[in-house]
Structures are given as structure tokens and as C-alpha cells.
Amino acid sequence: WDAATREFTIRFAFHNSPGHYTANVNLKFIYSAYGRVTPTSESQFLRFRPYSKEVGGARLVLLQLVVVFALMYFLYDYGYSLAAQPHIRWSLARFLQPWQLLQLFNFMLALAAIYLWVKYMDDPARQHMDFTSPKFQDVMVLASDFNLIIFLFAVILMLWTVRLIDFFTSVGNEGLKRTSKIIETVISSLGPFVIIFFMIFIGFVLVGHVLFGVHEDRFNGFQASAKTLLVWFVSLSHGHRRTMGLPGGPVFMFLFILIAMVLLFNMFIAIVMASHDQVLESEEEGYTKQPPNHRLADQICDYLGVKRFVTDPFHLVPAAKSQVEPIGWENLVRIQIHLEASHAPPAEPIHDLP
């Protein structure tokens, strides 16, 4: 410890055996050249003995078996939905559907989580952990692996929750089907809006950091500024009144409220309303336009020389409303005279009539 010391760390661990969690804590104090002390803390929790009977290990095994069988069933259903299509073009279109790509990504995350769980349980560092040792044993690496597994399972659960939107289209309730289609249309229409929102939001984040980073801790970095403005976007709280008193604060707050909170938020509402009208119009017309995944599948198959799907309903022209005037008695008499003069048999097609 001398004048050049810039960091001081305290590490400790505690274990609840055979309990739910073991924790490894890292307290760090960083000293700047000007005497400022910045404390940080990092805590990692893990379970060393997840299958012990004291913490319900049998129930965990049962739940894991249920998850594995459910995953196998969904994999079978996924493959069957691709193979049951009437044409290879539709199978490719089914594969390229956004919901199916999301489901495939979920399968990949689930397999990765299962692999990491097996790897964690077979890790020699976990198996040879000495719980009676008076010396410090660094379990931060094991804790990081365990938290990664928990994070993957949380992401899988969140994505499956979003995936439920598509499942509602297969139920018998028309209201649920319409709502699901509206949500799908909204999600598919958010691409340009997300790009615009991201660029404007990043601009406000950088401006806030440049203007108020010296005065406010909530703007002293890119991440801190982004978190602050994200909270303001949904609730306008957490110190915005103090920001109004800083140089440039009123102008910044006025532009942020006007552009981000009013203009962009109302643009999002307009997208939702337009998607609602689009779904209702498609239901009234009685036919559906070709989805983007089918167009992309057709382009790929045309490039590869795959045979066309002749009875593809998306390639059929919808029946237009009849604009032919009703045939009057005079026209019927003219047709009868023409047939008698030409001595044409009744079954023979007539091509010279309008």
C-alpha cells in the first residue's frame, strides 16, 4: 500500500450447505489520481448441490424430465409442420416464417442451456469443492457459468411467452385470432420505426452525456445516460427537475419531451391503428396477400429452379366484382336468331359473342 495504489479488493464467500445458494462476493475500491474513491460490488450466486433432497432435488429432476419431453414434442411438431406442407415452396416459406425462426432460435438456446447444465454438473471444480476448508476458494468462475445457464433459461421462457401470440391464431375464437393477427402485423411493421427511434434515442443519450455528464452522475457515462433517458421515456421521473436547472437543461428537456415522448410515441400508436385497419380490410376482402416469407421462398426456389406450385392460392387472382350488365330480352332474342341462322349445335362453344 503506497501512493501509487489505485485499487483495493475484498473477496469473501459464504455457503449454505446443503442449501439453495452459495455466494461469492467481490468488493472493489478504485482510487483515482485525484483522490476520488469509486466503490463497486459484484455478487455471484450459484447452487452447488441442486439435486440434494434438502432442497427438493427430486422435484427438480421431475421438472427437468417434463421440460425434456416437452422439448422433444415441440421438435417433432416443428418438423411435422414443415413436412406436411403441400409443396416444397411452402415448406421453405414455413421455415422462413418469423415465428418459426423464433421457435428454431428457442430450440438452439434450449439445447445450449442443457449442454451447459451438464457441463456445469460435471465440472471438476464443483465436484472437488471442499466445504470444510478454512481457506478461500474462488468460485466466481463456477458462479458465472451458473448465472449464464439461468440467464439462458430466462430468455427461453421470455421468448416462449412471446411465441404464444402465434398459438392464438389456431384457436377457435375469432376475437383471439384477430388480436393475434393485429399483433403480428404491428411487429412486422415496426422495422423502420425501430431504426428511427434508435437513432434519435442514441442522439439524445450522447447529448445528455456531453451536457450533464460533469454535473450529474446519472449522465456520467453512455450506459448511465441511456438508462436515465429510457426511464424518462416511460415515466419522466428520477431527477428531471434538477436537470432543468442545469445549463441547456430546459432546451434538452423540451426537445426530448416533444420528439421522443410525444412524436415517436404517437407514431407507435399510429402503427398500431394502421395494423388494426389492415387486418380488418383483409378479412373483408376475403383473401390474404402473399406474406413476405412466401415471396422470399418463391425467389429462392425460382433461383434454384424448383418446380412451381400451380395451385398456390397466393398466385391466384382474386375474383373481382362483376361489372357485366344484365342481359335484356332484346339481347336474348339476338342470340337465339344467331344460333338458328348458324345451325350450330347447342353444345358447341360460341367465340364470336361478347
Side-chain angles (χ1 to χ4, degrees), residues 34 39 46-47 59 65 70-71 87 106 118 122 125 147 163 193 211-212 222 226 247 281 295 298 303 317 333:
Y34 308 99
L46 71 157
R47 296 184 65 173
R59 183 176 58 182
L65 290 176
L71 181 62
H87 196 272
N106 254 344
V118 175
D122 292 338
N147 281 270
R163 182 71 174 84
F193 173 78
L211 287 178
F212 316 122
F222 180 83
E281 290 177 0
R295 291 199 299 267
D298 285 340
Y303 179 79
V317 179
V333 172

Side-chain angles (χ1 to χ4, degrees), residues 26 56 76 154 168 183 204 234 328:
N26 185 9
Y76 167 77
F168 287 133
I183 296 176
F204 276 106
V234 296

Side-chain angles (χ1 to χ4, degrees), residues 59-332:
R59 183 176 58 182
L60 177 61
V61 173
L62 178 62
L63 291 176
Q64 288 179 340
L65 290 176
V66 171
V67 170
V68 170
F69 283 114
L71 181 62
M72 294 174 61
Y73 169 77
F74 285 123
L75 281 172
Y76 167 77
D77 182 73
Y78 178 81
Y80 179 78
S81 65
L82 296 179
Q85 299 301 316
H87 196 272
I88 187 174
R89 290 174 177 261
W90 275 44
S91 297
L92 181 59
R94 178 77 176 179
F95 175 78
L96 296 176
Q97 186 184 16
W99 292 116
Q100 296 297 318
L101 293 177
L102 179 62
Q103 187 171 357
L104 179 62
F105 181 67
N106 254 344
F107 289 148
M108 296 173 62
L109 288 181
L111 294 177
I114 293 174
Y115 168 76
L116 291 177
W117 177 262
V118 175
K119 182 180 177 182
Y120 169 77
M121 295 302 299
D122 292 338
D123 197 325
R126 188 196 70 85
Q127 296 178 352
H128 298 94
M129 185 71 180
D130 186 5
F131 299 103
T132 61
S133 175
K135 297 181 180 180
F136 174 77
Q137 299 182 75
D138 190 6
V139 296
M140 190 66 74
V141 177
L142 284 175
S144 299
D145 295 340
F146 183 83
N147 281 270
L148 177 60
I149 297 172
I150 299 301
F151 173 76
L152 288 179
F153 280 123
V155 172
I156 293 170
L157 181 61
M158 181 185 64
L159 294 180
W160 272 110
T161 303
V162 176
R163 182 71 174 84
L164 289 176
I165 298 174
D166 183 53
F167 291 152
F168 287 133
T169 59
S170 60
V171 299
N173 190 290
E174 294 297 331
L176 289 177
K177 288 183 179 180
R178 185 180 298 110
T179 304
S180 177
K181 291 179 181 178
I182 293 173
I183 296 176
E184 290 181 6
T185 308
V186 170
I187 295 176
S188 62
S189 303
L190 282 179
F193 173 78
V194 170
I195 296 175
I196 296 174
F197 175 82
F198 179 78
M199 298 301 296
I200 294 177
F201 185 78
I202 292 299
F204 276 106
V205 169
L206 296 176
V207 172
H209 173 60
V210 173
L211 287 178
F212 316 122
V214 181
H215 309 283
E216 291 285 342
D217 289 339
R218 62 177 64 93
F219 290 99
N220 64 357
F222 180 83
Q223 294 182 354
S225 180
K227 292 179 181 178
T228 301
L229 293 183
L230 187 60
V231 173
W232 286 3
F233 179 75
V234 296
S235 62
L236 192 60
S237 61
H238 191 61
H240 64 280
R241 295 182 178 180
R242 184 175 178 179
T243 306
M244 293 286 291
L246 298 176
V251 177
F252 177 83
M253 292 300 301
F254 174 77
L255 293 177
F256 181 76
I257 293 175
L258 179 64
I259 297 177
M261 301 183 63
V262 177
L263 182 60
L264 294 180
F265 188 74
N266 282 277
M267 285 179 60
F268 174 75
I269 296 177
I271 291 175
V272 175
M273 299 300 295
S275 301
H276 179 268
D277 296 339
Q278 181 179 348
V279 172
L280 293 182
E281 290 177 0
S282 64
E283 291 181 353
E284 292 177 357
E285 293 174 355
Y287 70 96
T288 306
K289 296 181 180 179
Q290 188 179 25
N293 57 309
H294 279 265
R295 291 199 299 267
L296 180 59
D298 285 340
Q299 293 175 1
I300 295 175
C301 291
D302 291 341
Y303 179 79
L304 298 176
V306 179
K307 185 179 179 181
R308 297 189 63 85
F309 186 17
V310 180
T311 58
D312 191 342
F314 293 122
H315 292 164
L316 299 178
V317 179
K321 295 183 179 179
S322 176
Q323 299 178 355
V324 180
E325 296 294 334
I327 301 177
W329 288 104
E330 296 180 357
N331 293 328
L332 288 175

